[in-house]
Amino acid sequence: MMKKKFFLPLMLSGLVWFSSCDSNDDNGTGTARMEVRMTDAPGDYEEVNVEIKSVQIHREDGDTESGWITLDEIHPGIYNLLDFANGRDTLLASAELPVGHISQIRLVLGDNNSVKLKNGDEIALKTPSGQTSGVKLKIDAHLEDDVTYMVLLDFDAARSVVPKGNGGYNLKPVIRTITQAIAGGIKGKVTPAEYKPGIYVISAANDTIGGFANESGDFLIKGVPAGTYRVEFITQYGQHNKTIENVSVSQNQIKDLGVVMLPQE
């Protein structure tokens, strides 16, 4: 069976990412990060080309049109799903979203969809519902503050590319959804704040995420995958450096280090 998979993980490998502190209220408000990527598995066609115009999410339990929100960081275009086989993927859409419930996701397709057969024939794919209301999929996920999420859309092309009696083909997407948190974060408060340290979250493989505290000493490092880290606080000239070992982060948690006292002269 040929399957196409759309998914949205945060990828971290040999990466240094600097981010400033984000402040959040204690009343449950805030944002979560969502990234959409596409990947694929080998199949029975030369190409399966799908035009994706936008990706939207629905924040209400009903299906009112007013409840749909378009992800603002979108890469629209025509994608040959077979280009993303053997572990390759491409970023499709991402956004910072308010915390809370998400009930559905919708893929809005364009008109430029086609399938290329093994004999070289390229045939247009008709998508009766895709261009109008979009392809709607149930999610039922709850986004927590400052957590990074992956939504996996498992696209079954063997069932989605449907031959017609006249030699044409229809695209009737059959997609399974899986949603999970894939990264948490680390927060705390540095004192004295005037030392303004750089903050480095370092894994056992030396993958590094970096950030800074704000003027009050508060810091929040987002997008930290589950694991155990060394957190280094590096000050100018190294006079007030500090290291905290064995900081454990889960995929759906913001680890609070509390008040971090830097050495003073």
Side-chain angles (χ1 to χ4, degrees):
M1 178 181 292
M2 181 171 98
K3 291 186 177 181
K4 314 293 174 281
K5 296 178 182 177
F6 301 73
F7 70 104
L8 52 150
L10 175 69
M11 304 301 293
L12 175 67
S13 178
L15 168 68
V16 180
W17 171 32
F18 292 94
S19 62
S20 61
C21 174
D22 291 337
S23 61
N24 295 285
D25 298 332
D26 293 329
N27 60 4
T29 62
T31 61
R33 181 70 179 172
M34 178 177 285
E35 296 192 358
V36 181
R37 291 182 177 265
M38 287 200 305
T39 190
D40 181 44
D44 298 328
Y45 305 107
E46 288 293 328
E47 297 178 5
V48 177
N49 298 301
V50 176
E51 182 182 18
I52 298 177
K53 299 177 68 175
S54 70
V55 180
Q56 304 170 346
I57 58 97
H58 201 283
R59 298 189 55 81
E60 301 173 359
D61 289 331
D63 198 22
T64 60
E65 194 60 32
S66 61
W68 289 101
I69 299 174
T70 299
L71 302 189
D72 52 7
E73 300 171 36
I74 178 70
H75 300 276
I78 300 172
Y79 293 88
N80 174 17
L81 302 181
L82 301 185
D83 283 343
F84 309 112
N86 300 320
R88 291 172 292 174
D89 59 69
T90 186
L91 181 65
L92 183 62
S94 60
E96 295 283 339
L97 298 173
V99 299
H101 183 68
I102 291 179
S103 60
Q104 299 180 73
I105 190 169
R106 178 164 68 181
L107 302 178
V108 179
L109 306 182
D111 298 322
N112 297 310
N113 307 295
S114 64
V115 58
K116 187 175 182 180
L117 306 181
K118 292 289 188 179
N119 63 8
D121 292 342
E122 188 166 354
I123 302 172
L125 285 171
K126 303 299 183 182
T127 54
S129 63
Q131 301 97 324
T132 53
S133 62
V135 180
K136 299 177 183 178
L137 306 163
K138 288 288 186 181
I139 294 183
D140 290 326
H142 188 82
L143 305 184
E144 299 289 345
D145 193 13
D146 296 321
V147 175
T148 300
Y149 289 85
M150 178 182 73
V151 175
L152 177 65
L153 306 182
D154 192 344
F155 194 119
D156 188 341
R159 297 167 59 195
S160 300
V161 178
V162 181
K164 299 192 298 183
N166 61 1
Y169 288 81
N170 281 337
L171 178 62
K172 297 183 178 180
V174 177
I175 305 173
R176 183 171 62 101
T177 64
I178 303 170
T179 305
Q180 69 178 101
I182 61 166
I186 296 175
K187 70 177 181 178
K189 185 179 182 69
V190 171
T191 186
E194 58 265 27
Y195 291 165
K196 299 179 180 179
I199 303 167
Y200 300 87
V201 179
I202 306 171
S203 73
N206 287 322
D207 293 328
T208 303
I209 303 174
F212 301 92
N214 63 18
E215 292 182 354
S216 299
D218 298 308
F219 64 90
L220 170 61
I221 312 299
K222 293 183 179 182
V224 181
T228 301
Y229 296 87
R230 179 176 79 257
V231 182
E232 296 184 355
F233 299 83
I234 306 300
T235 60
Q236 189 176 20
Y237 308 120
Q239 296 176 332
H240 310 288
N241 292 357
K242 184 181 181 72
T243 298
I244 301 177
E245 302 281 356
N246 299 318
V247 176
S248 180
V249 177
S250 68
Q251 64 186 11
N252 59 353
Q253 174 196 35
I254 301 298
K255 178 71 172 183
D256 191 350
L257 297 182
V259 177
V260 178
M261 299 287 298
L262 299 180
Q264 302 182 49
E265 296 178 345

PDB file of all heavy atoms in Angstrom, residues 21 185-192 197 199 213 216-220 231 233 242 244 247 253-262:
ATOM      1  N   CYS A  21      13.611  35.673  25.816  1.00  0.00           N
ATOM      2  CA  CYS A  21      12.601  35.219  26.770  1.00  0.00           C
ATOM      3  C   CYS A  21      11.231  35.683  26.346  1.00  0.00           C
ATOM      4  O   CYS A  21      11.058  36.834  25.947  1.00  0.00           O
ATOM      5  CB  CYS A  21      12.940  35.770  28.149  1.00  0.00           C
ATOM      6  SG  CYS A  21      11.684  35.436  29.396  1.00  0.00           S
ATOM      7  N   GLY A 185      10.181  22.793  27.213  1.00  0.00           N
ATOM      8  CA  GLY A 185      11.050  23.953  27.346  1.00  0.00           C
ATOM      9  C   GLY A 185      11.618  24.053  28.744  1.00  0.00           C
ATOM     10  O   GLY A 185      11.341  23.223  29.619  1.00  0.00           O
ATOM     11  N   ILE A 186      12.416  25.094  28.967  1.00  0.00           N
ATOM     12  CA  ILE A 186      13.053  25.351  30.251  1.00  0.00           C
ATOM     13  C   ILE A 186      12.885  26.831  30.575  1.00  0.00           C
ATOM     14  O   ILE A 186      13.149  27.688  29.719  1.00  0.00           O
ATOM     15  CB  ILE A 186      14.541  24.979  30.229  1.00  0.00           C
ATOM     16  CG1 ILE A 186      14.710  23.472  29.992  1.00  0.00           C
ATOM     17  CG2 ILE A 186      15.233  25.392  31.522  1.00  0.00           C
ATOM     18  CD1 ILE A 186      16.151  23.033  29.831  1.00  0.00           C
ATOM     19  N   LYS A 187      12.441  27.118  31.799  1.00  0.00           N
ATOM     20  CA  LYS A 187      12.300  28.509  32.207  1.00  0.00           C
ATOM     21  C   LYS A 187      12.884  28.704  33.592  1.00  0.00           C
ATOM     22  O   LYS A 187      13.232  27.744  34.296  1.00  0.00           O
ATOM     23  CB  LYS A 187      10.835  28.928  32.198  1.00  0.00           C
ATOM     24  CG  LYS A 187       9.982  28.295  33.300  1.00  0.00           C
ATOM     25  CD  LYS A 187       8.560  28.851  33.242  1.00  0.00           C
ATOM     26  CE  LYS A 187       7.691  28.259  34.361  1.00  0.00           C
ATOM     27  NZ  LYS A 187       6.321  28.821  34.339  1.00  0.00           N
ATOM     28  N   GLY A 188      13.006  29.964  33.993  1.00  0.00           N
ATOM     29  CA  GLY A 188      13.517  30.283  35.313  1.00  0.00           C
ATOM     30  C   GLY A 188      13.775  31.769  35.433  1.00  0.00           C
ATOM     31  O   GLY A 188      13.355  32.571  34.584  1.00  0.00           O
ATOM     32  N   LYS A 189      14.504  32.136  36.479  1.00  0.00           N
ATOM     33  CA  LYS A 189      14.831  33.539  36.735  1.00  0.00           C
ATOM     34  C   LYS A 189      16.273  33.630  37.221  1.00  0.00           C
ATOM     35  O   LYS A 189      16.650  32.957  38.192  1.00  0.00           O
ATOM     36  CB  LYS A 189      13.901  34.135  37.781  1.00  0.00           C
ATOM     37  CG  LYS A 189      14.087  35.632  38.027  1.00  0.00           C
ATOM     38  CD  LYS A 189      13.101  36.130  39.073  1.00  0.00           C
ATOM     39  CE  LYS A 189      13.227  37.631  39.296  1.00  0.00           C
ATOM     40  NZ  LYS A 189      12.754  38.405  38.106  1.00  0.00           N
ATOM     41  N   VAL A 190      17.068  34.415  36.503  1.00  0.00           N
ATOM     42  CA  VAL A 190      18.481  34.603  36.842  1.00  0.00           C
ATOM     43  C   VAL A 190      18.616  35.787  37.789  1.00  0.00           C
ATOM     44  O   VAL A 190      17.986  36.831  37.601  1.00  0.00           O
ATOM     45  CB  VAL A 190      19.315  34.851  35.573  1.00  0.00           C
ATOM     46  CG1 VAL A 190      20.733  35.254  35.939  1.00  0.00           C
ATOM     47  CG2 VAL A 190      19.339  33.611  34.704  1.00  0.00           C
ATOM     48  N   THR A 191      19.445  35.616  38.806  1.00  0.00           N
ATOM     49  CA  THR A 191      19.765  36.733  39.688  1.00  0.00           C
ATOM     50  C   THR A 191      21.248  36.679  40.053  1.00  0.00           C
ATOM     51  O   THR A 191      21.786  35.585  40.249  1.00  0.00           O
ATOM     52  CB  THR A 191      18.890  36.702  40.958  1.00  0.00           C
ATOM     53  OG1 THR A 191      19.134  37.890  41.726  1.00  0.00           O
ATOM     54  CG2 THR A 191      19.164  35.484  41.813  1.00  0.00           C
ATOM     55  N   PRO A 192      21.927  37.821  40.053  1.00  0.00           N
ATOM     56  CA  PRO A 192      21.485  39.161  39.707  1.00  0.00           C
ATOM     57  C   PRO A 192      21.192  39.295  38.201  1.00  0.00           C
ATOM     58  O   PRO A 192      21.985  38.817  37.379  1.00  0.00           O
ATOM     59  CB  PRO A 192      22.649  40.055  40.108  1.00  0.00           C
ATOM     60  CG  PRO A 192      23.479  39.237  41.058  1.00  0.00           C
ATOM     61  CD  PRO A 192      23.306  37.823  40.589  1.00  0.00           C
ATOM     62  N   PRO A 197      23.353  36.823  31.451  1.00  0.00           N
ATOM     63  CA  PRO A 197      24.093  35.693  30.854  1.00  0.00           C
ATOM     64  C   PRO A 197      23.444  35.189  29.570  1.00  0.00           C
ATOM     65  O   PRO A 197      22.235  35.291  29.383  1.00  0.00           O
ATOM     66  CB  PRO A 197      23.992  34.624  31.949  1.00  0.00           C
ATOM     67  CG  PRO A 197      22.670  34.912  32.600  1.00  0.00           C
ATOM     68  CD  PRO A 197      22.560  36.416  32.620  1.00  0.00           C
ATOM     69  N   ILE A 199      22.335  31.825  27.771  1.00  0.00           N
ATOM     70  CA  ILE A 199      21.853  30.573  28.360  1.00  0.00           C
ATOM     71  C   ILE A 199      21.911  29.494  27.294  1.00  0.00           C
ATOM     72  O   ILE A 199      21.330  29.653  26.214  1.00  0.00           O
ATOM     73  CB  ILE A 199      20.421  30.736  28.902  1.00  0.00           C
ATOM     74  CG1 ILE A 199      20.388  31.885  29.926  1.00  0.00           C
ATOM     75  CG2 ILE A 199      19.934  29.435  29.543  1.00  0.00           C
ATOM     76  CD1 ILE A 199      18.997  32.334  30.278  1.00  0.00           C
ATOM     77  N   ALA A 213      18.052  35.986  29.042  1.00  0.00           N
ATOM     78  CA  ALA A 213      17.062  36.466  29.999  1.00  0.00           C
ATOM     79  C   ALA A 213      16.669  37.897  29.646  1.00  0.00           C
ATOM     80  O   ALA A 213      17.413  38.617  28.984  1.00  0.00           O
ATOM     81  CB  ALA A 213      17.627  36.399  31.418  1.00  0.00           C
ATOM     82  N   SER A 216      14.535  41.671  33.639  1.00  0.00           N
ATOM     83  CA  SER A 216      14.191  41.262  35.003  1.00  0.00           C
ATOM     84  C   SER A 216      14.844  39.936  35.396  1.00  0.00           C
ATOM     85  O   SER A 216      14.682  39.472  36.529  1.00  0.00           O
ATOM     86  CB  SER A 216      12.670  41.134  35.137  1.00  0.00           C
ATOM     87  OG  SER A 216      12.041  42.379  34.880  1.00  0.00           O
ATOM     88  N   GLY A 217      15.544  39.320  34.447  1.00  0.00           N
ATOM     89  CA  GLY A 217      16.208  38.052  34.710  1.00  0.00           C
ATOM     90  C   GLY A 217      15.400  36.830  34.321  1.00  0.00           C
ATOM     91  O   GLY A 217      15.884  35.696  34.449  1.00  0.00           O
ATOM     92  N   ASP A 218      14.162  37.013  33.853  1.00  0.00           N
ATOM     93  CA  ASP A 218      13.327  35.878  33.456  1.00  0.00           C
ATOM     94  C   ASP A 218      13.775  35.323  32.108  1.00  0.00           C
ATOM     95  O   ASP A 218      14.111  36.084  31.196  1.00  0.00           O
ATOM     96  CB  ASP A 218      11.862  36.318  33.363  1.00  0.00           C
ATOM     97  CG  ASP A 218      11.317  36.810  34.695  1.00  0.00           C
ATOM     98  OD1 ASP A 218      11.454  36.081  35.683  1.00  0.00           O
ATOM     99  OD2 ASP A 218      10.781  37.939  34.732  1.00  0.00           O
ATOM    100  N   PHE A 219      13.748  33.997  31.982  1.00  0.00           N
ATOM    101  CA  PHE A 219      14.096  33.374  30.711  1.00  0.00           C
ATOM    102  C   PHE A 219      13.171  32.202  30.421  1.00  0.00           C
ATOM    103  O   PHE A 219      12.632  31.564  31.333  1.00  0.00           O
ATOM    104  CB  PHE A 219      15.562  32.909  30.688  1.00  0.00           C
ATOM    105  CG  PHE A 219      15.887  31.824  31.671  1.00  0.00           C
ATOM    106  CD1 PHE A 219      15.764  30.478  31.337  1.00  0.00           C
ATOM    107  CD2 PHE A 219      16.323  32.139  32.951  1.00  0.00           C
ATOM    108  CE1 PHE A 219      16.073  29.471  32.234  1.00  0.00           C
ATOM    109  CE2 PHE A 219      16.624  31.138  33.874  1.00  0.00           C
ATOM    110  CZ  PHE A 219      16.502  29.803  33.517  1.00  0.00           C
ATOM    111  N   LEU A 220      12.970  31.938  29.138  1.00  0.00           N
ATOM    112  CA  LEU A 220      12.182  30.797  28.672  1.00  0.00           C
ATOM    113  C   LEU A 220      12.801  30.306  27.378  1.00  0.00           C
ATOM    114  O   LEU A 220      12.872  31.044  26.391  1.00  0.00           O
ATOM    115  CB  LEU A 220      10.725  31.198  28.434  1.00  0.00           C
ATOM    116  CG  LEU A 220       9.843  30.178  27.722  1.00  0.00           C
ATOM    117  CD1 LEU A 220       9.743  28.887  28.527  1.00  0.00           C
ATOM    118  CD2 LEU A 220       8.458  30.757  27.464  1.00  0.00           C
ATOM    119  N   VAL A 231      22.622  22.805  31.440  1.00  0.00           N
ATOM    120  CA  VAL A 231      22.262  24.195  31.181  1.00  0.00           C
ATOM    121  C   VAL A 231      23.397  25.082  31.671  1.00  0.00           C
ATOM    122  O   VAL A 231      23.735  25.074  32.864  1.00  0.00           O
ATOM    123  CB  VAL A 231      20.941  24.584  31.857  1.00  0.00           C
ATOM    124  CG1 VAL A 231      20.583  26.034  31.524  1.00  0.00           C
ATOM    125  CG2 VAL A 231      19.815  23.654  31.413  1.00  0.00           C
ATOM    126  N   PHE A 233      25.059  28.938  32.041  1.00  0.00           N
ATOM    127  CA  PHE A 233      24.808  30.373  32.092  1.00  0.00           C
ATOM    128  C   PHE A 233      26.174  31.059  31.940  1.00  0.00           C
ATOM    129  O   PHE A 233      27.014  30.979  32.844  1.00  0.00           O
ATOM    130  CB  PHE A 233      24.141  30.759  33.411  1.00  0.00           C
ATOM    131  CG  PHE A 233      22.808  30.090  33.615  1.00  0.00           C
ATOM    132  CD1 PHE A 233      22.729  28.802  34.127  1.00  0.00           C
ATOM    133  CD2 PHE A 233      21.632  30.738  33.282  1.00  0.00           C
ATOM    134  CE1 PHE A 233      21.512  28.173  34.319  1.00  0.00           C
ATOM    135  CE2 PHE A 233      20.398  30.123  33.466  1.00  0.00           C
ATOM    136  CZ  PHE A 233      20.334  28.839  33.975  1.00  0.00           C
ATOM    137  N   LYS A 242      27.722  29.803  35.501  1.00  0.00           N
ATOM    138  CA  LYS A 242      27.136  28.752  36.330  1.00  0.00           C
ATOM    139  C   LYS A 242      26.650  27.635  35.416  1.00  0.00           C
ATOM    140  O   LYS A 242      26.182  27.893  34.301  1.00  0.00           O
ATOM    141  CB  LYS A 242      25.960  29.291  37.148  1.00  0.00           C
ATOM    142  CG  LYS A 242      25.345  28.267  38.127  1.00  0.00           C
ATOM    143  CD  LYS A 242      24.181  28.883  38.878  1.00  0.00           C
ATOM    144  CE  LYS A 242      23.572  27.904  39.881  1.00  0.00           C
ATOM    145  NZ  LYS A 242      24.471  27.699  41.042  1.00  0.00           N
ATOM    146  N   ILE A 244      24.226  23.990  35.434  1.00  0.00           N
ATOM    147  CA  ILE A 244      23.307  23.080  36.116  1.00  0.00           C
ATOM    148  C   ILE A 244      23.260  21.786  35.318  1.00  0.00           C
ATOM    149  O   ILE A 244      22.927  21.801  34.125  1.00  0.00           O
ATOM    150  CB  ILE A 244      21.903  23.684  36.255  1.00  0.00           C
ATOM    151  CG1 ILE A 244      21.960  24.995  37.046  1.00  0.00           C
ATOM    152  CG2 ILE A 244      20.951  22.700  36.937  1.00  0.00           C
ATOM    153  CD1 ILE A 244      20.617  25.686  37.170  1.00  0.00           C
ATOM    154  N   VAL A 247      19.363  18.299  33.863  1.00  0.00           N
ATOM    155  CA  VAL A 247      18.037  18.927  33.805  1.00  0.00           C
ATOM    156  C   VAL A 247      17.167  18.086  32.883  1.00  0.00           C
ATOM    157  O   VAL A 247      17.449  17.974  31.686  1.00  0.00           O
ATOM    158  CB  VAL A 247      18.128  20.369  33.292  1.00  0.00           C
ATOM    159  CG1 VAL A 247      16.726  20.968  33.144  1.00  0.00           C
ATOM    160  CG2 VAL A 247      18.981  21.206  34.250  1.00  0.00           C
ATOM    161  N   GLN A 253       6.121  19.430  28.731  1.00  0.00           N
ATOM    162  CA  GLN A 253       6.337  20.129  29.996  1.00  0.00           C
ATOM    163  C   GLN A 253       7.310  21.283  29.806  1.00  0.00           C
ATOM    164  O   GLN A 253       8.260  21.197  29.031  1.00  0.00           O
ATOM    165  CB  GLN A 253       6.901  19.156  31.038  1.00  0.00           C
ATOM    166  CG  GLN A 253       7.309  19.809  32.357  1.00  0.00           C
ATOM    167  CD  GLN A 253       8.199  18.921  33.200  1.00  0.00           C
ATOM    168  OE1 GLN A 253       9.021  18.183  32.660  1.00  0.00           O
ATOM    169  NE2 GLN A 253       8.048  18.978  34.502  1.00  0.00           N
ATOM    170  N   ILE A 254       7.071  22.372  30.545  1.00  0.00           N
ATOM    171  CA  ILE A 254       8.044  23.441  30.673  1.00  0.00           C
ATOM    172  C   ILE A 254       8.730  23.265  32.029  1.00  0.00           C
ATOM    173  O   ILE A 254       8.110  23.438  33.080  1.00  0.00           O
ATOM    174  CB  ILE A 254       7.375  24.826  30.584  1.00  0.00           C
ATOM    175  CG1 ILE A 254       6.650  24.981  29.249  1.00  0.00           C
ATOM    176  CG2 ILE A 254       8.419  25.927  30.746  1.00  0.00           C
ATOM    177  CD1 ILE A 254       7.544  24.911  28.029  1.00  0.00           C
ATOM    178  N   LYS A 255       9.982  22.877  32.016  1.00  0.00           N
ATOM    179  CA  LYS A 255      10.741  22.640  33.243  1.00  0.00           C
ATOM    180  C   LYS A 255      11.096  23.976  33.889  1.00  0.00           C
ATOM    181  O   LYS A 255      11.712  24.844  33.251  1.00  0.00           O
ATOM    182  CB  LYS A 255      12.019  21.861  32.917  1.00  0.00           C
ATOM    183  CG  LYS A 255      12.920  21.606  34.107  1.00  0.00           C
ATOM    184  CD  LYS A 255      12.320  20.589  35.053  1.00  0.00           C
ATOM    185  CE  LYS A 255      13.295  20.190  36.142  1.00  0.00           C
ATOM    186  NZ  LYS A 255      12.743  19.150  37.031  1.00  0.00           N
ATOM    187  N   ASP A 256      10.718  24.146  35.144  1.00  0.00           N
ATOM    188  CA  ASP A 256      10.970  25.391  35.859  1.00  0.00           C
ATOM    189  C   ASP A 256      12.191  25.217  36.761  1.00  0.00           C
ATOM    190  O   ASP A 256      12.162  24.438  37.714  1.00  0.00           O
ATOM    191  CB  ASP A 256       9.744  25.775  36.689  1.00  0.00           C
ATOM    192  CG  ASP A 256       9.837  27.185  37.252  1.00  0.00           C
ATOM    193  OD1 ASP A 256      10.920  27.793  37.172  1.00  0.00           O
ATOM    194  OD2 ASP A 256       8.813  27.676  37.773  1.00  0.00           O
ATOM    195  N   LEU A 257      13.270  25.953  36.464  1.00  0.00           N
ATOM    196  CA  LEU A 257      14.488  25.886  37.274  1.00  0.00           C
ATOM    197  C   LEU A 257      14.417  26.805  38.496  1.00  0.00           C
ATOM    198  O   LEU A 257      15.341  26.805  39.306  1.00  0.00           O
ATOM    199  CB  LEU A 257      15.711  26.254  36.424  1.00  0.00           C
ATOM    200  CG  LEU A 257      16.022  25.314  35.250  1.00  0.00           C
ATOM    201  CD1 LEU A 257      17.285  25.794  34.539  1.00  0.00           C
ATOM    202  CD2 LEU A 257      16.169  23.881  35.720  1.00  0.00           C
ATOM    203  N   GLY A 258      13.337  27.577  38.589  1.00  0.00           N
ATOM    204  CA  GLY A 258      13.209  28.493  39.706  1.00  0.00           C
ATOM    205  C   GLY A 258      14.215  29.634  39.616  1.00  0.00           C
ATOM    206  O   GLY A 258      14.608  30.062  38.521  1.00  0.00           O
ATOM    207  N   VAL A 259      14.674  30.111  40.743  1.00  0.00           N
ATOM    208  CA  VAL A 259      15.654  31.193  40.782  1.00  0.00           C
ATOM    209  C   VAL A 259      17.055  30.603  40.673  1.00  0.00           C
ATOM    210  O   VAL A 259      17.439  29.737  41.469  1.00  0.00           O
ATOM    211  CB  VAL A 259      15.534  32.009  42.075  1.00  0.00           C
ATOM    212  CG1 VAL A 259      16.608  33.075  42.140  1.00  0.00           C
ATOM    213  CG2 VAL A 259      14.144  32.651  42.174  1.00  0.00           C
ATOM    214  N   VAL A 260      17.799  31.056  39.683  1.00  0.00           N
ATOM    215  CA  VAL A 260      19.165  30.601  39.466  1.00  0.00           C
ATOM    216  C   VAL A 260      20.117  31.670  39.971  1.00  0.00           C
ATOM    217  O   VAL A 260      20.216  32.780  39.399  1.00  0.00           O
ATOM    218  CB  VAL A 260      19.425  30.319  37.967  1.00  0.00           C
ATOM    219  CG1 VAL A 260      20.874  29.883  37.740  1.00  0.00           C
ATOM    220  CG2 VAL A 260      18.452  29.259  37.452  1.00  0.00           C
ATOM    221  N   MET A 261      20.814  31.375  41.069  1.00  0.00           N
ATOM    222  CA  MET A 261      21.752  32.335  41.663  1.00  0.00           C
ATOM    223  C   MET A 261      23.102  32.208  40.969  1.00  0.00           C
ATOM    224  O   MET A 261      23.730  31.152  40.983  1.00  0.00           O
ATOM    225  CB  MET A 261      21.913  32.032  43.156  1.00  0.00           C
ATOM    226  CG  MET A 261      20.621  32.145  43.959  1.00  0.00           C
ATOM    227  SD  MET A 261      20.095  33.852  44.192  1.00  0.00           S
ATOM    228  CE  MET A 261      21.469  34.507  45.131  1.00  0.00           C
ATOM    229  N   LEU A 262      23.547  33.289  40.346  1.00  0.00           N
ATOM    230  CA  LEU A 262      24.851  33.307  39.706  1.00  0.00           C
ATOM    231  C   LEU A 262      25.921  33.685  40.726  1.00  0.00           C
ATOM    232  O   LEU A 262      25.674  34.494  41.645  1.00  0.00           O
ATOM    233  CB  LEU A 262      24.855  34.298  38.544  1.00  0.00           C
ATOM    234  CG  LEU A 262      23.876  34.020  37.410  1.00  0.00           C
ATOM    235  CD1 LEU A 262      24.002  35.080  36.336  1.00  0.00           C
ATOM    236  CD2 LEU A 262      24.095  32.634  36.831  1.00  0.00           C
TER     237      LEU A 262
END
